[in-house]
Amino acid sequence: MPIERINFVHTIKFKQMKIFQNRKFWIMATITCVLGYVVSCTKKDQVIINNPATSTSTLVSSKTTTAPAIDGVIDPIWSKASKLEVTATVPNPGNATFEGYIGLSYNVTLQSLYDANNIYFLVQWNDPDQSLLNTPVAYNPTTKTWARQSSNYTFDVNGNITTIPFNEDKFGFQWNINNSVALFASQSCYATCHLNPPTDSLHNSVPPVLVTVPAKAGGNHFTNGPEEKADLWHIHLMQDQAYGFADDDYIDWAGGQLNPNGRHSDGATVASTNALGVPTYNPVPGSVTNTQNLKITGTNTTVTVPAWVVKGQTNGYVLLTNNTTAGVKVTALTSVTAEDGTTQALLVTAVDANGVLTLSDNSTVDPTAGTGYNVITDANGNITGVGANAIPGIILQQYQGGRGDIAFKAIYTGKGWILELKRALTTSDVAIKQDVDFGPLSDVNFGIAVFNKANTAHAIMPGLTLHFQK
């Protein structure tokens, strides 16, 4: 049973951290990640306890004529691949950005093989619990309202946890495309990470126009110039398994605008640019939030409710749709189903003052008839879980084109994850600098990230190199 289903109380308090803003911090953070963090688990807890790695930063990809099956089962062919064993740790970038996760560490083992056409990766890491819920929609019996649950920890003014995070486990790679990101070799993924500095250069004008940026948690990935691009693989270990492809993204400088979001899905290209040079990108199919706004029947009060519901569903994590129209409204989706791809979901058409939902077949879902749809709270009203009938918070469209270049399978072992991936050495997106090109069999700098029940907070291991054994 996923940990989110368990009703437990967190009493951890966290101090507000000083904001580290300049480049020196990120360089020091890279060194700290490699040398300074303490491993939080013992050897007994690790998924992998095998031969020591031959390098602390280089992953050697071995040539093979036998391709491993991408099924989460470790084939004998993987014994021919050397191992890189590293510890990824959640850093403290300041401003409470990763609050609730800082200092957590994971032991990660990476292996790689390649053949004439494809490259393969086997990744294993420890994780004490399997987290699959992603922002479920649940009912609050006190307020008689529905809400999509938080993807991060929330805190009161004293630093006490008021809501646990509802997000799935994930894994990430970031690669330097054509060595275009100048600082990537020394800073790796830190080279694209920007955490809302108090001043920033507006539109990269010369000389720079410095403007004040209000301090807030979070930040954005973007590169530092129009020629810099990075390849980002974001593997959602629940939702992406529905279709079997990881989320293939890229990072650019987003026109040099102030603190932009430079992360885009493969296939997204610049559709237009305004007078200041700020681009707008065309949307591509992906996940759609499973909520809508409706007026309470007989009133002018608008509330948030689920958009689609599978009647009687328990332990549902994601809904699927055969609609692949990018940017489509959630209520316009077609053939929405449960994860099995066949059990139909129904559109919510009305809600009353008690939160009772009316569905498109005129049946109802009454959350007051039991506790299955409810948020679970402790004696102080803090949210510590959701009931078994909580409604999936996302509907997934199948990735199209370059966004679906990476086939994968992940298995949770009870102590951690086994992840296998496969990608063509050279994809069609290499030509437009949205994918890293492994075809030349040249060394490539990269970093990895481990997300444990987190939306943005992640353990990081930067400063890695992929080397091909020829």
Side-chain angles (χ1 to χ4, degrees), residues 4 99 101 132-138 146-155 161-168 170 291 375 382-386 391 393 452-456:
E4 294 94 335
E99 190 169 4
Y101 302 89
L132 300 178
L133 285 175
N134 189 324
T135 59
V137 183
W146 294 85
R148 192 177 183 212
Q149 301 307 298
S150 174
S151 61
N152 295 304
Y153 284 104
T154 63
F155 302 86
I161 294 172
T162 56
T163 303
I164 67 166
F166 294 89
N167 215 297
E168 61 190 288
K170 295 174 284 189
T291 58
V375 293
N382 301 314
I383 296 176
T384 60
V386 294
I391 297 165
N452 184 5
K453 194 171 25 180
N455 182 28
T456 57

Side-chain angles (χ1 to χ4, degrees), residues 19-28 187 197-198:
I19 305 172
F20 296 98
Q21 302 155 353
N22 56 39
R23 185 175 295 171
K24 290 181 180 179
F25 163 73
W26 293 113
I27 295 173
M28 289 304 297
Q187 297 184 15

Side-chain angles (χ1 to χ4, degrees), residues 211-438:
V211 296
T212 299
V213 182
K216 61 180 180 179
N220 282 319
H221 275 286
F222 57 93
T223 61
N224 300 302
E227 300 304 317
E228 293 191 350
K229 285 189 178 181
D231 190 1
L232 181 65
W233 301 1
H234 203 57
I235 305 112
H236 302 82
L237 298 174
M238 179 275 293
Q239 61 176 295
D240 285 347
Q241 301 224 59
Y243 293 115
F245 293 92
D247 191 356
D248 192 359
D249 303 329
Y250 71 96
I251 301 169
D252 69 3
W253 84 315
Q257 58 187 303
L258 178 64
N259 196 31
N261 179 14
R263 176 180 165 183
H264 317 284
S265 301
D266 278 19
T269 55
V270 176
S272 62
T273 304
N274 68 15
L276 294 175
V278 177
T280 298
Y281 296 77
N282 62 288
V284 295
S287 61
V288 181
T289 300
N290 186 30
T291 58
Q292 61 175 323
N293 294 325
L294 292 177
K295 289 184 177 179
I296 295 175
T297 301
T299 76
N300 286 320
T301 302
T302 299
V303 293
T304 298
V305 296
W308 295 85
V309 175
V310 175
K311 288 194 293 186
Q313 183 182 39
T314 58
N315 299 319
Y317 301 112
V318 66
L319 300 179
L320 307 180
T321 177
N322 66 1
N323 186 306
T324 57
T325 302
V328 65
K329 286 183 60 176
V330 65
T331 54
L333 291 172
T334 54
S335 298
V336 179
T337 69
E339 295 163 76
D340 60 11
T342 57
T343 305
Q344 292 294 313
L346 298 173
L347 183 66
V348 174
T349 58
V351 59
D352 71 12
N354 291 315
V356 177
L357 307 175
T358 299
L359 306 182
S360 55
D361 66 352
N362 292 320
S363 65
T364 59
V365 171
D366 185 357
T368 69
T371 60
Y373 292 100
N374 290 4
V375 293
I376 299 171
T377 58
D378 63 18
N380 297 316
N382 301 314
I383 296 176
T384 60
V386 294
N389 297 113
I391 297 165
I394 54 175
I395 302 171
L396 188 64
Q397 299 173 300
Q398 187 167 4
Y399 300 147
Q400 302 295 301
R403 192 175 185 180
D405 279 334
I406 308 164
F408 87 101
K409 180 65 178 177
I411 299 292
Y412 185 72
T413 67
K415 290 186 177 181
W417 286 96
I418 297 173
L419 168 65
E420 289 186 294
L421 305 105
K422 170 187 173 182
R423 205 211 75 171
L425 290 172
T426 301
T427 69
S428 59
D429 284 342
V430 164
I432 56 175
K433 291 183 67 177
Q434 292 186 359
D435 276 348
V436 63
D437 188 6
F438 298 118

Side-chain angles (χ1 to χ4, degrees), residues 67-79 121-124 241 408-413 417-421:
I70 306 302
D71 56 7
V73 177
I74 303 175
D75 296 338
I77 190 63
W78 283 114
S79 64
F121 295 93
L122 171 62
V123 188
Q124 301 175 77
Q241 301 224 59
F408 87 101
K409 180 65 178 177
I411 299 292
Y412 185 72
T413 67
W417 286 96
I418 297 173
L419 168 65
E420 289 186 294
L421 305 105

